[in-house]
Amino acid sequence: GSSRFNVAGLDRISAAISFAIMKLFLATLLVICAAEISHTVLNNGITMPMLSVQPEKYSPEDIEGIVKMALQTGINAIDAATQEQCQRRVGAALKDVQRNSFFLTSGIMLQQNISSTSAFATAASHLKNTLSNLGMQHVDLMVLSRPATTCESIQQQWRALEDFYATGKARAIGVRMFCPASLKCIMQTAKVAPALNQIFYHVGMGVDPEGFKSAFSESGTATQSIRALDSGELVSGKLVSRIGKAHGWSGAQVSMRWILDRGVTMSTPMSKRTHMEEALAISQDHLTSDELAQLDSATSPEDCPVFCPSSKICPPLEQSTVV
């Protein structure tokens, strides 16, 4: 009798331990999930984190530390942007990190008045140099920054990015500071539609500033905000601070959450661990429809998607098609 009791008792103890371990595992999983930033799927099926850290504006000697801190905090997407110095420092920080554990964006920026005869070769050369600066075999996303002044030059530059993509050196290709007219020009000859367009996008500009977001989404091109917190009003203004109180958030967290809730990804400068932790914490809650409506209709701080006035960087293009 006593042996039967011992077996039953042990079974109960074993079951209780198993249950406790399972509860602990689920609690840990919830914490991990809560602190994990959400993802979006680009138009070619590639999964991309909604939040990237972009350290280009900081002192070169600080960039490696910022990148390592982002990875330690749980932000695994880094935007090395277009400057050689930044690309080299980002590459150095990622040198010994397992390649499939981070999402790396970089870009090239060429003269806007480049001639169509040299546009392809110049872009191809810059793309090769960017990989060399990073010390990488490939990037996850490569962007072409600023449209050239003629349609033909834009098309030739984009052709260089398509070749780069076709040879596996980028898992996705996109643009930065491009206008609807520039996109229309690309799409006349494109084999691959841009996966993403990086523009200024924040509270105060409305949901679809100057129609950029909707124009690009027609080609399946996602929008990424590169000026999420570029004004004190977006960090500690009355509207964002008041809404933040209901969620236990700072004004900056409200500004970032609005961008994500509007289906827009972010590539934003961050250099402090506390700011990175704040950015991750917003994945645990959403803004209410009333709060979103208030933020949607905010008209301050004013901005343009590609510098003001947008017409300065988006001159009307002659729509010549390269045969």
Side-chain angles (χ1 to χ4, degrees), residues 103-323:
F103 188 101
L104 179 62
T105 299
S106 196
I108 59 167
M109 184 159 63
L110 310 174
Q111 291 297 323
Q112 281 193 278
N113 60 354
I114 194 162
S115 81
S116 59
T117 50
S118 60
F120 176 84
T122 308
S125 166
H126 275 68
L127 289 165
K128 188 179 173 187
N129 291 344
T130 298
L131 276 189
S132 170
N133 293 341
L134 292 163
M136 296 281 167
Q137 300 295 312
H138 76 277
V139 292
D140 296 287
L141 173 67
M142 179 64 77
V143 299
L144 172 63
S145 186
R146 297 187 319 188
T149 47
T150 71
C151 182
E152 203 172 342
S153 294
I154 292 172
Q155 289 169 342
Q156 290 295 338
Q157 289 174 348
W158 187 249
R159 189 163 67 84
L161 264 85
E162 288 180 327
D163 284 4
F164 191 75
Y165 173 68
T167 53
K169 289 170 184 165
R171 294 173 66 229
I173 48 176
V175 290
R176 185 177 194 262
M177 310 299 280
F178 267 58
C179 327
S182 323
L183 173 71
K184 199 181 270 184
C185 162
I186 282 180
M187 294 309 292
Q188 287 177 6
T189 56
K191 294 179 195 145
V192 180
L196 176 144
N197 184 25
Q198 295 182 329
I199 58 169
F200 302 146
Y201 186 96
H202 57 67
V203 170
M205 294 175 71
V207 177
D208 189 15
E210 296 180 35
F212 274 53
K213 184 169 175 271
S214 53
F216 277 82
S217 67
E218 281 175 28
S219 300
T221 304
T223 294
Q224 184 167 62
S225 164
I226 50 169
R227 199 182 261 193
L229 302 171
D230 210 45
S231 149
E233 195 177 340
L234 297 166
V235 175
S236 54
K238 280 183 187 169
L239 176 63
V240 291
S241 298
R242 178 173 52 73
I243 289 173
K245 279 182 183 161
H247 300 268
W249 284 347
S250 67
Q253 284 174 297
V254 171
S255 291
M256 288 191 284
R257 184 70 251 183
W258 176 80
I259 290 169
L260 298 184
D261 279 345
R262 285 292 164 242
V264 173
T265 65
M266 271 188 298
S267 173
T268 193
M270 279 188 269
S271 62
K272 292 188 170 67
R273 188 183 294 272
T274 49
H275 292 166
M276 293 176 188
E277 286 167 352
E278 276 193 6
L280 283 172
I282 63 172
S283 59
Q284 296 173 42
D285 200 358
H286 285 267
L287 295 163
T288 66
S289 54
D290 178 54
E291 289 165 345
L292 280 170
Q294 290 177 59
L295 294 162
D296 289 349
S297 58
T299 54
S300 177
E302 288 182 81
D303 211 341
C304 303
V306 289
F307 298 113
C308 291
S310 294
S311 56
K312 191 176 173 187
I313 205 167
C314 297
L317 291 166
E318 32 77 29
Q319 297 296 321
S320 64
T321 305
V322 177
V323 180

